[in-house]
Each structure stands twice: as C-alpha cells, then as structure tokens.
C-alpha cells in the first residue's frame, strides 16, 4: 500500500497512469475573460441536514431536524433571499452493509429501497428541499475521491497500523478511555460499550490510512476564537474547544476492503475503502458543485453553508473533524452549526430495543404536517432534551385553536363590521391597549429576525404567538361586538349610510383594523413554520400572494386586503384549526 501512496496516479480523472502531479481543480471554461460590469449574484442561503443512514426507518428525531432546516430556508426565502436546502441519505459504511446482509439483500438494492422512506418523510412534512443527495451517486463519489487526492497531495494522509475499539452503530473508533464494560440486564450478557453513546464496540486491529488532524489543532483553536458563535448552543461550543485543547489524535480514514466493501474506494488503492464519515461530510460540498466551481463564483452554489442543522450526538464529526478537513485544503468553513437536543419518550431515550420509538409517519398522518411542524419547533429542545407525548401535541394544538384560530374567526366572521371598510379607514385606536399593541407589532419583525439569526426558531415563533395572545386580550376588552350592536338599524350597518359621522362606527373600524393588521403580520411571520395553515389565514384576510413577504410584515404596509379569497364558513366549517379526530 505504501508504494501506491508514493506513486499515485490521476485515477479519479480517468487519465492514463503517470506519477501524480498537483493539478488545478477542474472548472468550467470561461471564454469571456476580463472585467465585467455585471455584478456577481448574491450567495444563496445554504442550510443542510445530516444525511441519514438507511439501515433503519426514520424516527421523530429525523423529522425534527429536517423541519428545523426547512423553517430556516423558508424564513430566508420570506426575506427575499434565494435559499437552498440539502438533505439526503448516507448509504455507505459497515452498519448499512451488515443491515443489508441481515435482510438477505444485495446492498445496492437495499439502499435503493430504503432511501425512499426519508424522501417520503421530507415530502410528508412539507419540506421544500432543493437537493436530496444519496452518497451512492456518481457525482458524490467523484467529489469524495477528488477531496481525498487533494488531502494526500498536501501531505495530510499517511499509512499506519490502527488498533482500537470500533462502534459499527456510531461508525467510529473510540480510545480505551472512552469505553467501559456494560451489562445487558435482559440477558446478563457483558460487552464493551461507548461511554458516550452506550453502543457496543468491538476490538479492531488493521492497517489503513490516517488523517493528520493533530497538525491542525492550533488552526482549529484560532478559528473557534475568531468565530465564537460557530457552534450553537454555547455550551457545546465550549465542549468542542475543550476537546481540541486537550489534544487530538490522528484519524483513521479508511477501512480494509475485506472488512468494508460497501463504500467509495480509495483512489488507486482498491484494498481500502474511504471512511464513511469523511465520505458523508463531503456531501455538503458535492451539492455546492464541488469541485466544479467557477473561480471567483464559488459562492453561487451556496458554499460555505450558512448553517448545518445536526443532532447533538454528531457534534465531534461536524465541529472538529469537518472543519479540520476543510482547513487542510484551505476551503471556506461553514458559518454555523446548530446542534439540537434529542427527543425522549416518558423521559427515557428512544430506542428500538425498548420499543419506545415514535413513527413520524403515523404522527404526520394523525395530526397533519403543520401541527407536527408547530409542535416540534415550539417544544423541541436546542439545549436540553424534550419529552414527546401525544397529549402535549393536542394541548399545543388546542392553544392554537383558542388563540390564533379564535382571533381569526372573530374578525373575519364578525356580523357588525366589514373588514375591508376597516382597512380602508386605516383608523388607529389611540387607547392605551391599542397603542401597546401597535408598539408590539412594530417591534415584532425585528424580534423574530433576531431570534432566527440566533438559530432559535422556537423562540421566534413564541414571540409571534405572544402578540397573537395580546391581540386576543385587546379585542376581548375592546368588545367591538358591543359597539357595533349600536350601529345597526333594521339589519343594515349604519356605516353603509353615514360612516363619517358615527363615533361608534369609527371606534369599531379602529379596533378591527388593528386586529386585522395583527393577523396579517403574524400570519406572514408564521409561514415558515405552518405554511399551509398560514396560507389559509392570509387567504381569509384577502392578502394578495405577492404581499406576503417579510418586508410586508409592517403596520400599514398593505392597504389592499380585507376581501376574503376563500369562504369564511360558519361553525366548524372553514375554520383555520379544525377539531382533531381524536383528543387522545
């Protein structure tokens, strides 16, 4: 293997064998050289999820991750910026290979069947992804092998014997200090397991390729110091810094093919397969058109990523190993990594062996996509784990019904006023409560924007819902239904006769206008979380589809709405949040 390392070829480009020479990264030809007055396009907002292993069915944690990523994408689209969301499946590695063997299937067939569940999950959750990558695709194989050759050309790869405890489930080696003897209480069986994840490990001794991550320790620490918000939340940023400060051991980045045959071969060394995590992490570059990026326009495909959304169990790979790989090639690093907490059931970690795994497809079918999006974003943890319970979902949904749903129904179905007339009047309630609500609406967009910039969509949504609740309290105290009762003569609203002279009509108009503005603004800002339900809200308010952007979420910004685009209905018919089929 050493001879192959020293006398490599341009294997990945399909060029005839000759001693390896550092070659320029392939790029698309640009026949028009020189200066141009045409400005370069803005870098799209680029958000990613991890790619999910196909060895098992999707669970609610996968659903939470892709919904968070989709909320970020939709929010930046709402602000008028092109946004790209990349998700997909990790189809290589020993755990996938063994799962296929257990299923008595060819591994390619196994992957071709099982990736579809994750694609269906994204679509069922109304996730607007732009790229669904499969690591078994040819373009990804090319990107990974090119990346490998660049690492090797720069001297970051070397051959060595490796011994240690390997977790197939986690697809990683653990040092002796990170494993312990564990007892299975059900069977009495003793085995070695990772202290971090609890998964079983097996002793492995093999010769493979290593990556000199130890040589990048100081550069990593410098990067963290210059980018203190790289990892969110702060506690995990501190953990990452502590790990790197304590020292880094070089990484084993390949496996002998006799142990792992299902993966991307090391270029020009068919006896080795590239380590699944190096393979997987490069997916973020693959869909940013690596290595075929036009010089000076690398950003047009999205890289560097604005945020990687991941679970807290894969922080080390994304926040230490991945930056190290990129630093080795002097490639731009992702701007931030959001590391969210996990979901528990009955305050216990979800596990197939315990039988307490939530099937996300059942949840989506029962409660609907928008309800699940709302619940997971509202109640999901970033810092701390959250407990999943159907009763919690129902409770949150009823809160939506009683607040936003009730407010919309009160305004659009009111018998003593006309929403469009109130919009035209543009009268402002000058009571203390009215002025307080106006102030809250004026601050709301910037508050939402600030929370989203901090990567806390749940907090942003709660800020909007607090204003909805304030609006409900306002309309309840103002009681426009009592005032309007005095302005109706013989079943005809008085404003249709003499709206300029009736004090009560003016008061009703000012109340309804302010409530309508609150519904319009809150409906716009809640679109990233509940796109379908908020479309219905804005349709009921008659807001033109071209006036539903973040820039429109300003008091007085839209004077043209007020005529419903859909039937307002009565009773349960046409309500924004209809009753659930079951309350248990």
């Amino acid at each position: 293997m050493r001879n192959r390392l020293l006398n490599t070829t341009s294997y990945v480009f399909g060029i005839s064998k000759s001693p390896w020479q550092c070659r320029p990264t392939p790029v698309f030809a640009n026949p028009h050289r020189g200066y141009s007055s045409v400005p370069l396009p803005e870098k799209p907002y680029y958000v990613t999820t991890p790619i999910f292993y196909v060895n098992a069915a999707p669970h609610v944690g996968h659903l939470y991750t892709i919904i968070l990523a989709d909320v970020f994408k939709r929010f930046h689209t709402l602000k008028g910026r092109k946004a790209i969301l990349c998700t997909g499946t990790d189809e290589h590695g020993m755990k996938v290979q063994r799962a296929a063997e257990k299923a008595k299937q060819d591994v390619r067939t196994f992957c071709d069947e099982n990736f579809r569940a994750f694609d269906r999950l994204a679509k069922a959750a109304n996730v607007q992804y732009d790229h669904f990558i499969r690591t078994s695709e040819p373009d990804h194989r090319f990107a990974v092998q090119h990346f490998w050759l660049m690492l090797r050309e720069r001297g970051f790869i070397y051959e060595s014997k490796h011994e240690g405890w390997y977790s197939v489930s986690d697809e990683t080696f653990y040092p002796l200090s990170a494993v312990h003897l564990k007892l299975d209480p059900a069977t009495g069986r003793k085995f070695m397991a990772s202290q971090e994840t609890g998964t079983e490990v097996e002793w492995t001794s093999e010769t493979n390729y290593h990556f000199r991550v130890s040589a990048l320790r100081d550069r990593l620490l410098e990067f963290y110091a210059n980018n203190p918000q790289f990892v969110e939340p702060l506690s995990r940023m501190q953990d990452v810094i502590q790990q790197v400060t304590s020292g880094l051991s070089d990484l084993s980045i390949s496996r002998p093919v006799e142990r792992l045959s299902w993966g991307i071969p090391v270029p020009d060394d068919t006896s080795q397969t590239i380590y699944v995590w190096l393979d997987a992490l490069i997916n973020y570059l693959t869909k940013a058109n690596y290595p075929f990026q036009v010089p000076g326009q690398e950003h047009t495909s999205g890289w560097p990523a604005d945020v990687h959304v991941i679970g807290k169990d894969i922080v080390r790979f994304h926040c230490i190993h991945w930056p190290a790989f990129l630093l080795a090639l002097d490639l731009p690093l992702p701007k931030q990594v959001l590391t969210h907490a996990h979901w528990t059931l009955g305050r216990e970690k979800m596990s197939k062996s315990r039988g307490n795994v939530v099937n996300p497809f059942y949840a989506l079918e029962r409660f609907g996509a928008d309800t699940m999006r709302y619940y997971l974003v509202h109640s999901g943890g970033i810092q701390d784990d959250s407990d999943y319970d159907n009763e919690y979902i129902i409770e949150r949904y009823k809160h939506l019904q009683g607040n936003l749903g009730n407010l919309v129904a009160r305004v659009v179905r009111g018998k003593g006023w006309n929403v469009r007339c109130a919009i035209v009047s543009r009268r402002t309630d000058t009571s203390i409560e009215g002025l307080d609500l106006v102030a809250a609406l004026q601050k709301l967009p910037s508050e939402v924007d600030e929370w989203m910039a901090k990567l806390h969509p749940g907090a942003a949504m709660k800020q909007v819902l607090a204003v909805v609740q304030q609006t409900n309290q306002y309309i309840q105290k103002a009681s426009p239904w009592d005032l309007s009762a005095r302005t109706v003569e013989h079943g005809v609203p008085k404003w249709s006769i003499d709206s300029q002279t009736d004090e009560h009509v003016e008061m009703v108009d000012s109340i309804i206008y302010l409530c309508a503005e609150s519904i319009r603004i809150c409906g716009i800002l809640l679109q990233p979380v509940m796109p379908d339900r908020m479309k219905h809200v804005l349709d009921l308010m008659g807001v033109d589809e071209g006036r539903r952007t973040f820039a429109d979420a300003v008091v007085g910004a839209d004077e043209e709405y007020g005529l419903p685009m859909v039937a307002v209905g009565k009773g349960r018919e046409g309500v924004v949040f209809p009753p659930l089929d079951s309350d248990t």
Side-chain angles (χ1 to χ4, degrees):
M1 185 166 66
R2 183 175 283 107
N3 289 336
R4 288 171 178 159
L5 175 63
L6 297 175
N7 188 27
T8 55
T9 70
S10 339
Y11 169 83
V12 73
F13 300 114
I15 301 172
S16 59
K17 291 191 174 184
S18 61
W20 170 258
Q21 296 177 357
C22 184
R23 300 173 184 272
T25 300
V27 298
F28 293 123
N30 181 6
H32 304 292
R33 289 196 169 270
Y35 297 100
S36 171
S37 60
V38 179
L40 292 176
E42 179 187 17
K43 182 187 109 57
Y45 181 85
Y46 186 28
V47 57
T48 72
T49 75
I51 47 176
F52 306 118
Y53 284 117
V54 295
N55 64 301
H59 54 69
V60 73
H62 297 130
L63 180 61
Y64 180 44
T65 303
I66 60 174
I67 285 174
L68 284 178
D70 187 60
V71 169
F72 288 123
K73 182 205 167 167
R74 287 177 181 268
F75 180 73
H76 284 273
T77 301
L78 188 71
K79 292 183 71 178
R81 184 178 178 186
K82 180 182 178 182
I84 298 171
L85 168 56
C86 182
T87 188
T89 47
D90 190 349
E91 302 182 8
H92 292 146
M94 193 168 288
K95 71 161 73 174
V96 173
Q97 182 175 297
R98 289 186 179 180
E101 292 169 356
K102 186 176 180 180
K104 294 181 170 55
Q105 280 187 297
D106 169 75
V107 66
R108 164 61 72 178
T109 303
F110 180 83
C111 292
D112 287 345
E113 291 179 0
N114 287 12
F115 93 89
R116 300 182 191 281
F118 293 92
D119 190 27
R120 288 199 309 272
L121 181 67
K123 291 172 179 173
N126 197 9
V127 170
Q128 292 184 331
Y129 65 77
D130 299 271
H131 302 301
F132 190 99
I133 188 172
R134 300 177 61 194
T135 56
S136 58
E137 294 169 340
D139 62 337
H140 180 65
R141 172 176 172 144
F142 185 94
V144 170
Q145 291 185 321
H146 179 85
F147 196 97
W148 175 283
L149 290 172
M150 296 300 101
L151 286 176
R152 187 161 66 186
E153 177 63 22
R154 290 189 171 211
F156 282 97
I157 294 178
Y158 65 95
E159 174 197 357
S160 179
K161 184 176 180 179
H162 190 90
E163 292 184 330
W165 293 100
Y166 191 79
S167 167
V168 174
S169 178
D170 301 335
E171 292 284 16
T172 189
F173 280 98
Y174 287 105
L176 181 61
S177 60
V179 300
H180 64 160
L181 189 64
K182 191 174 180 180
L183 175 69
D184 184 344
T187 64
R189 174 175 168 264
K190 295 181 179 180
F191 59 93
M192 297 299 290
S194 161
Q195 294 179 14
E196 180 182 351
T197 64
T199 58
E200 185 170 356
V201 296
E202 55 191 44
W203 181 257
T204 301
S205 177
E206 61 192 33
T207 298
N208 51 31
Y209 291 110
H210 287 64
F211 172 69
R212 299 183 193 276
V213 67
S214 58
L216 294 160
R217 174 183 174 275
D218 291 344
R219 289 185 65 189
L220 281 169
L221 291 174
E222 181 183 8
F223 172 75
Y224 300 148
N226 293 333
N227 299 272
Q229 296 179 324
F230 176 60
V231 180
E232 176 64 30
L234 177 61
S235 60
R236 295 196 189 104
M237 178 80 256
Q238 294 169 337
D239 290 342
V240 165
I241 294 172
Q242 177 60 39
Q243 288 182 53
V244 176
T245 301
S246 299
L248 296 172
S249 299
D250 288 349
L251 296 176
S252 168
I253 56 170
S254 72
R255 305 297 309 276
V257 71
E258 60 267 19
R259 289 190 172 170
L260 177 62
S261 58
W262 179 241
I264 298 175
V266 168
D268 218 28
D269 186 353
T270 56
S271 72
Q272 295 278 314
T273 302
I274 294 175
Y275 175 47
V276 65
W277 267 106
L278 174 56
D279 166 357
L281 289 164
I282 294 169
N283 93 86
Y284 305 129
L285 282 174
T286 301
K287 289 306 179 184
N289 211 29
Y290 176 86
F292 297 105
Q293 294 152 324
V294 178
Q297 298 183 34
E298 294 88 350
H299 67 282
T300 57
S301 297
W303 194 260
D306 289 86
V307 60
H308 293 318
V309 180
I310 65 168
K312 65 179 183 179
D313 54 322
I314 53 176
V315 168
R316 177 160 50 97
F317 304 103
H318 283 81
C319 303
I320 300 177
H321 298 174
W322 181 222
F325 291 141
L326 294 168
L327 285 172
L329 298 189
D330 293 319
L331 292 173
L333 273 62
K335 296 181 180 179
Q336 285 188 286
V337 183
L338 173 62
T339 66
H340 64 72
H342 290 166
W343 286 91
T344 59
L345 192 65
R347 302 297 174 187
E348 291 187 352
K349 183 180 178 180
M350 292 189 190
S351 166
K352 286 188 294 183
S353 61
R354 292 193 182 102
N356 66 343
V357 176
V358 174
N359 185 320
F361 291 103
Y362 292 166
L364 288 165
E365 182 177 358
R366 176 180 177 184
F367 297 113
D370 273 15
T371 302
M372 288 303 298
R373 290 171 66 99
Y374 163 70
Y375 169 67
L376 293 176
V377 173
H378 180 281
S379 301
I382 301 298
Q383 175 69 48
D384 301 313
D385 292 348
S386 296
D387 202 47
Y388 182 98
D389 195 308
N390 286 342
E391 290 185 4
Y392 298 158
I393 300 174
I394 294 166
E395 178 184 317
R396 300 296 344 141
Y397 186 78
K398 287 184 175 179
H399 186 269
L400 273 180
Q401 285 179 314
N403 281 273
L404 182 54
N406 185 48
L407 176 63
V408 173
R410 278 176 156 180
V411 171
V412 302
R413 293 181 176 183
K415 300 297 184 183
W417 54 81
N418 181 296
V419 176
R420 179 59 192 152
C421 289
I423 304 304
V424 171
S425 75
R426 291 172 60 84
R427 292 188 177 92
T428 302
D429 182 7
T430 56
S431 68
I432 294 175
E433 294 81 3
L435 293 175
D436 285 345
L437 182 53
V438 169
L441 288 168
Q442 288 172 335
K443 292 188 299 182
L444 185 58
S446 61
E447 291 172 337
V448 169
D449 196 29
E450 183 178 343
W451 278 116
M452 291 299 288
K454 292 178 179 178
L455 305 182
H456 283 266
M461 183 178 66
K462 290 172 186 176
Q463 200 80 39
V464 179
L465 294 175
V467 173
V468 171
Q469 186 170 359
Q470 182 179 348
T471 310
N472 259 315
Q473 294 168 347
Y474 165 74
I475 195 172
Q476 182 66 35
K477 184 172 182 179
S479 299
W481 39 85
D482 290 339
L483 292 170
S484 64
R486 307 171 200 170
T487 66
V488 177
E489 295 180 359
H490 309 295
V492 179
K494 181 72 176 292
W495 62 73
S496 64
I497 301 170
D498 189 6
S499 63
Q500 299 301 314
T501 59
D502 195 301
E503 180 183 351
H504 288 148
V505 171
E506 292 180 358
M507 291 177 65
V508 169
D509 279 354
S510 68
I511 296 166
I512 297 305
Y513 172 65
L514 187 49
C515 291
E517 280 292 84
S518 181
I519 294 170
R520 181 182 69 84
I521 291 169
C522 292
I524 288 172
L525 296 175
L526 287 173
Q527 288 177 104
V529 179
M530 294 179 282
D532 287 346
R533 289 296 86 201
M534 292 309 103
K535 180 182 185 305
H536 186 53
V537 166
L538 296 172
D539 284 348
L540 284 169
M541 299 303 295
V543 179
D544 185 84
E545 290 190 3
R547 301 299 304 274
R548 301 180 182 187
T549 71
F550 186 83
D552 296 308
V554 177
V555 176
D558 188 354
E559 303 176 9
E560 305 302 324
Y561 74 104
L563 296 175
M565 299 174 178
V566 294
V568 299
K570 61 180 181 179
R572 293 185 173 184
E573 178 188 351
V575 296
V576 177
F577 299 106
L580 296 171
D581 292 336
S582 170
D583 282 352
T584 58

